[in-house]
Amino acid sequence: MKKIILAFAMFLAMGNAGVMAAPVNTLANNETAVGIGSKESYIEHKFTPKLTVGYQYADRDEYDHQNDLYAQYDLIGSNFKAVAGFRNHLPNDKSNGYGGVAVVSPSFLGSQLYASYVKGNDFGETQVGLNVDVVANVDLNINYHNFDPDSGHHENGVGVGATIKF
């Protein structure tokens, strides 16, 4: 538990590091993932064989920063997940609950493809990416992200990041 708290504090302190959304990870029961990317940092923990809970800090170009509290529930193995969460600091200072889905490919040569889509009352967000095992418990993530708020400008782009699992 001390490792989780220390890692969480470290990545919150680095939260202003410089797309966008946490990658979709496949975690073992009681495993934690801590990651940082082009414009985000996150921590998530798999509490039961099917339930992962996480927090993400995202630095948006136009909308400052956004905080997400989210849960993923494995519906079919670890490859098809339901996603639910809450995001604040949306355009016009709104906050929304959201829901969606995530799909993860089976691991192939130390890599996994993934795609996710979430929708709230005031935004939609799509992400596709690739997680690649670099060394034991460390992944590199490459992704394309599209954040589309109902009011304001959308943001999209390619991002990279790293995840440590323990």
Side-chain angles (χ1 to χ4, degrees):
M1 187 60 150
K2 290 180 184 178
K3 288 181 188 177
I4 294 171
I5 294 169
L6 178 62
F8 183 69
M10 178 181 75
F11 280 98
L12 277 181
M14 294 171 60
N16 289 326
V19 161
M20 326 258 202
V24 180
N25 292 302
T26 301
L27 301 176
N29 195 29
N30 291 316
E31 188 173 36
T32 300
V34 179
I36 191 162
S38 302
K39 294 186 178 186
E40 79 281 347
S41 57
Y42 70 94
I43 183 169
E44 58 187 23
H45 183 78
K46 190 158 192 172
F47 285 96
T48 72
K50 292 189 170 275
L51 179 66
T52 302
V53 176
Y55 166 79
Q56 172 186 256
Y57 174 95
D59 185 14
R60 300 281 181 197
D61 289 337
E62 188 173 331
Y63 305 112
D64 194 23
H65 73 278
Q66 295 173 347
N67 298 291
D68 275 26
L69 291 173
Y70 61 90
Q72 298 172 358
Y73 188 81
D74 295 347
L75 297 172
I76 301 173
S78 291
N79 300 89
F80 189 71
K81 306 167 186 284
V83 180
F86 181 81
R87 179 175 298 172
N88 68 2
H89 297 289
L90 290 164
N92 300 321
D93 203 26
K94 293 183 179 181
S95 298
N96 279 178
Y98 60 84
V101 295
V103 179
V104 182
S105 74
S107 184
F108 179 73
L109 299 175
S111 335
Q112 281 188 304
L113 295 168
Y114 66 87
S116 65
Y117 178 75
V118 295
K119 176 77 174 131
N121 284 340
D122 297 301
F123 75 97
E125 181 173 62
T126 305
Q127 180 176 261
V128 294
L130 174 68
N131 291 323
V132 179
D133 294 341
V134 178
V135 295
N137 299 332
V138 177
D139 291 349
L140 172 68
N141 173 264
I142 303 163
N143 65 67
Y144 172 78
H145 176 87
N146 185 10
F147 172 68
D148 190 14
D150 289 348
S151 61
H153 299 97
H154 78 280
E155 178 178 300
N156 60 11
V158 175
V160 296
T163 300
I164 300 171
K165 297 177 183 177
F166 53 93

